[in-house]
Each structure stands twice: as structure tokens, then as C-alpha cells.
Amino acid sequence: MLLIGLAGLQIAEHERAWLAAPGVAGVILFARNYADRAQLMALCESIREIGGEELLIAVDQEGGPVQRFREGFTRLPALARIGAVHERDPAEAVRLAEEHAWVMASELRACGVDFSFAPVADLARGSAAIGVRAFHADPAVAAELAAAYVRGMHLAGMAAVLKHFPGHGSVAVDTHKAQAIDPRSLEEISRDDLRPFAECIAARVEAVMLAHVVYPAVDAQPAGYSRAWIGEILRGELGFAGAAISDDISMAAAGIAGGVAERVHGHLDAGCDLVLACFPEVVDQAIAAVAARAPAHPERLLPLRGAIGASWDSLTDNPQRDRFVARITALDAAQGTA
């Protein structure tokens, strides 16, 4: 039920109990947990030695401004770089999206990480939180490139996680810092923001992350707390059968539900399968909150486990990877870094 954050490069003594707690489904890693690839691989091994092989290990490795592991990994350009290519050469942009995804996913799998929270399926329409993390402002272009990105992840043996449902890109406020409200009609949201999600769901994406945004036309609660968004629209209308994942419960916009326990229960009661407790300061309270609960649909988490990946040595001895890396890193060289 919980994906928890750890404090440092190694597992602290008190964190061993967290990993063994019944309500903990896995770990989300950050830059604070990374020194180099050898340390990362040792950390992943330790996590599973303590908590069991079934524990999930995740990270945000989108590229651009959101790439937790940098030194020793390919420096990935922001997705907006690929969207810009689409303006002049759509077929080339689709190839770049697949290649970007494959490089990102294959590198993580070689180090023992199951999945990245990717791709961003939001529209590039002025959100302070999204910015260059999104492919494009046009729903059709964003949908085409997000679907290509999902294919690339799948080719590397990694599940895909669309974010931030039902669309954060048209909301200016950064939900990390404040409450965000999108006053548009459901018709407008469905026509524009939902299109990339719908097309990727039709292609059998494994997971969707919910936005901490309130859409009053549908519900007074943020999407992650909303049975209407999760049960009626995501699962009912769009036919999504995979894992629904909350955004981080420590974000300012999640505070509408109350304290840590209320935030955890609010997401689970609304239909989320995984709740992110990214900061170690809230993990004890989050674990206590789920102590008496059983996962509603544990089978939804199974597809999030990474397939057997190539070793790092075999990756670096792969001419195809060399071509992909050269092509995607050239995007920043041509347009300036994100």
C-alpha cells in the first residue's frame, strides 16, 4: 500500500523495520539515496534482502529537471525537447521518444530499479510544476509521444506510470507548494487533458499517478482523493485496470485531507493502490495508518516489477544504445540544457 522514502545512501537501523512492515509495498528513491551506480545496486540488494524480493523500487527519472540519478547515468533531455522536434519532423520525434524511454529504463533495470514514474502525460500549458517536463501543448501530439515513450519503456522491460491524471499541465499553481484548482468543465478536460491518458491506457499502461489538483466540475476533493475520478472516470469510462498511485502525501496540496493518517486513508478509500510517503519524517505515521488494512487489489502491483534487465557491461557494449544515447543527448546540445 505504501511506497516509502529512505533517508540516505544506506539503510538505517530503524528503516529495516519499515521495509519489513506488512503495509510497505516498496521504496521510492531520490538523489539523497544516490552516490554512484555501485552504491545504488548495493542499496537495491539490501532493500530486497530485508524486505523481500517482492518489494518494488521506484524513482523519478524523467530527464530534464527531474532526474534523480545523474552522475554515471545518461543525462536525459527534458521531454519538451522531443516535443519541439515534432514541430518539424513528427516521425523523428516518435523515434526519439522511444529511444529516450529505452535508455532511461534499461539503465535503471541494469541497476535493480523496477520502474520510473514516467512518462509525464500532462499538457505543456503553463503549469509551474510541469513546465518542460511535458511533451507538448497539443493533446494529439502529447498522446502520440507518450504512447511512443510507453513502448520504449516496455521494450526495456519496465512498466510505465502515466502522470498526473487527469492532467496537471493546464493548472498554473505548483501543488508542491499550494492548493491547485482547475475550474474548467469536464467536457474541456476530457477533450484535451485526458486524451494522452486515454490513448496510453488503451495501449495497456500498467499504472497511473493521480494529481493533487481539485477539479470542481467533478469533485470538491483533489483527484487522488476522488472516487469519481478514480472509480467512475479512470476505471469506469477509460477502462483502466492497473495500479492507481497517489502523488506524495507531503505535498502542500495533499493537506486538504488533514494529517498523515487522513491523507493515507483518503487516498486508499478513494481507490488508490499505492500511496507515496516520500519523506522519512512521515513514514512512521503512514505505516501506523495502514497497520489494520489489507491491500484491496494486490494483483495490480505485480506488473510493476521490472523484467530481467541487461547488465551495465552489456549495455555499454551495445552499439544500438550508443546510437540512441548520441541522438537523445544531442537534443540538449542543439537547444541548450533544460
Side-chain angles (χ1 to χ4, degrees):
M1 288 177 282
L2 299 175
L3 279 183
I4 63 169
L6 304 175
L9 303 178
Q10 298 176 322
I11 298 169
E13 189 60 34
H14 68 280
E15 292 173 337
R16 298 175 70 89
W18 292 354
L19 296 175
V24 172
V27 171
I28 176 170
L29 300 177
F30 290 87
R32 65 178 183 259
N33 306 118
Y34 181 74
D36 54 44
R37 292 197 308 271
Q39 171 270 327
L40 173 62
M41 294 175 71
L43 178 61
C44 291
E45 290 176 6
S46 296
I47 288 169
R48 294 198 169 106
E49 284 175 2
I50 296 166
E53 287 296 320
E54 72 281 359
L55 278 191
L56 298 167
I57 301 177
V59 69
D60 284 305
Q61 191 83 341
E62 302 169 13
V66 181
Q67 181 172 342
R68 309 306 187 194
F69 310 150
R70 300 197 178 196
E71 186 67 30
F73 280 79
T74 299
R75 186 68 177 92
L76 300 165
L79 298 185
R81 299 284 189 244
I82 301 173
V85 172
H86 196 282
E87 298 290 335
R88 63 180 185 273
D89 190 341
E92 173 70 359
V94 168
R95 285 193 293 272
L96 287 167
E98 292 180 350
E99 292 167 6
H100 188 295
W102 185 89
V103 170
M104 178 276 293
S106 62
E107 290 184 352
L108 291 179
R109 289 300 305 124
C111 294
V113 177
D114 287 303
F115 65 93
S116 171
F117 289 98
V120 172
D122 303 303
L123 302 180
R125 294 188 173 182
S127 169
I130 304 303
V132 296
R133 299 166 64 194
F135 284 113
H136 207 276
D138 186 312
V141 175
E144 181 180 30
L145 295 178
Y149 205 91
V150 169
R151 289 196 298 273
M153 293 178 73
H154 286 171
L155 286 171
M158 179 176 284
V161 183
L162 303 175
K163 60 185 184 186
H164 306 77
F165 184 86
H168 196 324
S170 300
V171 185
V173 173
D174 186 343
T175 48
H176 293 86
K177 302 175 182 178
Q179 186 66 57
I181 299 174
D182 187 337
R184 294 176 301 156
S185 68
L186 177 58
E187 179 183 10
E188 185 176 356
I189 296 169
S190 298
R191 183 192 66 219
D192 293 345
D193 297 66
L194 282 187
R195 180 167 176 177
F197 293 93
E199 294 194 15
C200 289
I201 287 168
R204 300 187 183 278
V205 73
E206 290 83 1
V208 170
M209 175 183 280
L210 282 297
H212 283 322
V213 177
V214 176
Y215 307 85
V218 174
D219 199 324
Q221 294 293 319
Y225 295 125
S226 171
R227 294 179 181 178
W229 276 116
I230 299 173
E232 297 173 19
I233 298 174
L234 178 60
R235 298 208 182 278
E237 295 182 16
L238 299 183
F240 178 63
I245 306 176
S246 83
D247 210 335
D248 179 25
I249 59 170
S250 295
M251 291 167 61
I256 192 171
V260 171
E262 289 78 15
R263 299 179 197 194
V264 171
H265 288 303
H267 283 109
L268 294 174
D269 290 345
C272 287
D273 302 290
L274 283 175
V275 176
L276 267 59
C278 297
F279 287 86
E281 294 80 3
V282 305
V283 171
D284 277 323
Q285 296 176 70
I287 290 175
V290 300
R293 297 185 72 129
H297 297 279
E299 71 280 359
R300 291 175 180 163
L301 304 187
L302 296 178
L304 297 180
R305 285 297 306 271
I308 295 175
S311 68
W312 195 274
D313 286 342
S314 65
L315 279 182
T316 55
D317 193 32
N318 183 343
Q320 176 178 263
R321 175 182 181 272
D322 294 341
R323 292 193 295 271
F324 289 178
V325 169
R327 282 163 48 77
I328 63 174
T329 55
L331 293 173
D332 274 343
Q335 302 183 44
T337 56

